[in-house]
Amino acid sequence: MARLTSFSVPDFHLPFGNSKHPQAARANAEATSWVLGHELVTAAAEQFSGIGVGHLAGRVSGDVPYERIVLLAEWMAWSFVLDDQHDHLIRAGDLAAWRPITDAITSYLETGRTGAHAPVRNPLVTGFVDLCDRILAGMSEGTAARYRAHVPLMLHSLDQEAGNRGSEGRQTVQEYVLMRRHSSQLLPMMDMVEAGLGIDLPQHVHDLPEYQALVASAVDVISWGNDVFSLPKEHACGDTNNLVSLISAWEGRSLPEAVRAVEDRIQIRIEQYLAEERRLFQAMDELPGTDAELREAVTRCVRSYEDWMIGADLWQRYECTRYSDERFAAGLESAYTRPDLVSVA
């Protein structure tokens, strides 16, 4: 497909404050070293560092201990490699090689073992095992259960994306919105931040429709904004897993018109988020057993989601080369992608 010759990201007018951990740059360097040490990346370390995972982790983690920011940055680094490697296999027509990797990951989540036939020395698998053990060690039972549920959903959404680029055809906008909540890879990371903040909300709070609506709104705002930032790269390589592209196709709009439509959707979603926040606290006040401590924990979760929305936006605008590097904008593979990574025994 043709490259976008003129493109600018609108201001999404996110009405939230944000601060960044003073050691975010150090976390970024440590996460890059971790990726190199696990041989997920073997070249172009400077380009990988430019993604700025430590800066993102430092913006969305709130007041968590530094070591938890580093762990989140390492998970983000692993997830970016995972995502880019999946794109590489789609382009190479070699998705059959993907299944042993995801089977090993889901097996480890369920049993603590990667399985008898797993590619146990593959860097994506060994990197996941290292991260998973440290992540779960810092989680309560309830948060760990949610993390274990969210990771397979994330992996399944990548398979759905591959299908959308193949013979299965184009999703509807609503189908895409539901899938994107998992392909964004945000939910496991939000679990990690919640654990790092020492928040352990009871499951009945997570099950509240008002709470689930709040989370969905936050994830949508972040995901749809990311679709605008990543549009030049995805348009150039024919990837239609993008809200802008889908609105353009289904509604017959030009890409600039579709960008404005997504901008409008984001503004509406922000207003919905603020309304859902009010409804959540009203529902909490009506629940038996809601005390000041539980209300404060919910408040900290709500503020965390606001950190995610504004922090992700600021990171993409000012601290990340992933969507501005000319190679990405031209639809080319990332400079650091290992073509042989999935086949490494």
Side-chain angles (χ1 to χ4, degrees), residues 68-86:
R68 307 305 293 183
I69 291 176
V70 174
L71 180 59
L72 178 60
E74 290 170 349
W75 172 266
M76 289 174 170
W78 177 84
S79 70
F80 276 119
V81 173
L82 181 85
D83 189 54
D84 287 335
Q85 192 65 35
H86 189 258

Side-chain angles (χ1 to χ4, degrees), residues 9 14 19 77 80 82 94 148 206 233 244 287 303:
V9 177
L14 296 159
S19 61
F80 276 119
L82 181 85
D94 192 22
R148 285 192 169 97
H206 282 275
K233 170 183 179 290
V244 177
L287 279 179
R303 297 296 169 258

Side-chain angles (χ1 to χ4, degrees), residues 71-132:
L71 180 59
L72 178 60
E74 290 170 349
W75 172 266
M76 289 174 170
W78 177 84
S79 70
F80 276 119
V81 173
L82 181 85
D83 189 54
D84 287 335
Q85 192 65 35
H86 189 258
D87 282 345
H88 170 74
L89 293 177
I90 292 173
R91 297 187 190 195
D94 192 22
L95 278 172
W98 188 247
R99 182 57 54 202
I101 300 293
T102 56
D103 285 350
I105 290 170
T106 54
S107 175
Y108 195 81
L109 280 167
E110 293 170 0
T111 68
R113 297 179 177 84
T114 56
H117 304 291
V120 291
R121 292 190 296 277
N122 182 278
L124 280 169
V125 176
T126 58
F128 174 80
V129 169
D130 170 56
L131 290 169
C132 186

Side-chain angles (χ1 to χ4, degrees), residues 4 18 24 77 80-81 98 101 110 168 170 184 192 206 225 251 256 260 271 282 311 326 340-341:
L4 292 179
N18 185 250
F80 276 119
V81 173
W98 188 247
I101 300 293
E110 293 170 0
E168 295 179 23
R170 189 172 66 221
S184 68
M192 293 176 65
H206 282 275
E251 300 181 11
R260 288 193 293 274
E271 292 303 316
Q282 290 169 359
E326 283 299 307
D340 66 333
L341 181 60

Side-chain angles (χ1 to χ4, degrees), residues 34 67-79 105 108-109 127-151 154 185 187-197:
W34 181 88
E67 61 270 18
R68 307 305 293 183
I69 291 176
V70 174
L71 180 59
L72 178 60
E74 290 170 349
W75 172 266
M76 289 174 170
W78 177 84
S79 70
I105 290 170
Y108 195 81
L109 280 167
F128 174 80
V129 169
D130 170 56
L131 290 169
C132 186
D133 287 346
R134 291 186 286 139
I135 289 167
L136 292 174
M139 285 182 168
S140 68
E141 183 178 340
T143 307
R146 286 186 289 276
Y147 170 83
R148 285 192 169 97
H150 286 150
V151 172
M154 176 191 84
Q185 306 193 40
L187 293 174
M189 293 188 281
M190 288 176 165
D191 295 332
M192 293 176 65
V193 172
E194 183 178 330
L197 290 168

